[in-house]
Amino acid sequence: MPRRANRRSARPEPVSVRAGSPCPCGAGGTYAACCGRFHSGRETAPTAEALMRSRYSAFVVRDEPYLLRTWAPATRPASVDFDPGTRWAGLEIAGTTDGTLFHTTGTVTFVARYTQGGEPGSLHERSRFEKVDGAWVYVDGTFL
């Protein structure tokens, strides 16, 4: 009887982004100097926009622990469902309200571009953020 090939895991493989690669969030600089420092836990995002950018990059590299760690406890899901057919292609920040070092809440409006099954698409959302124990977390978002 022939051996069956191993089934692929339901969880997609992480996208390889190296420390010296351009950061997926598009802010400029390397991944290590930009979002990678937040993903590693060495630093926390100082603003709601920085957290939004780092969460986008976490979706690119499929960093579930970071996404869950930076999600507000009241709205956090048990897990993150990464679609293996989705490839994130770019982030544009359309606007921010509050969300600086001096605020406790803020919003970030963004457009995230992707391809799914070879077809281009975009996600346009206004995300709400708040500080919990001094750190920014994602609360929820409204699709626009």
Side-chain angles (χ1 to χ4, degrees), residues 21-40:
S21 299
C23 192
C25 81
T30 65
Y31 172 69
C34 193
C35 294
R37 63 195 166 125
F38 305 135
H39 294 175
S40 71

Side-chain angles (χ1 to χ4, degrees), residues 25-26 32 36 47 59 71 79 83 96-97 101-103 108 136 143-144:
C25 81
T47 65
F59 273 100
W71 212 309
S79 64
D83 183 336
T96 63
T97 304
L101 294 170
F102 306 105
H103 297 105
V108 178
W136 286 106
F143 295 118
L144 303 174

Side-chain angles (χ1 to χ4, degrees), residues 64-94:
E64 181 181 41
Y66 181 77
L67 290 166
L68 294 174
R69 186 170 72 242
T70 59
W71 212 309
T75 59
R76 180 186 307 137
S79 64
V80 178
D81 185 25
F82 297 105
D83 183 336
T86 300
R87 295 289 178 254
W88 296 100
L91 176 67
E92 174 191 338
I93 302 297

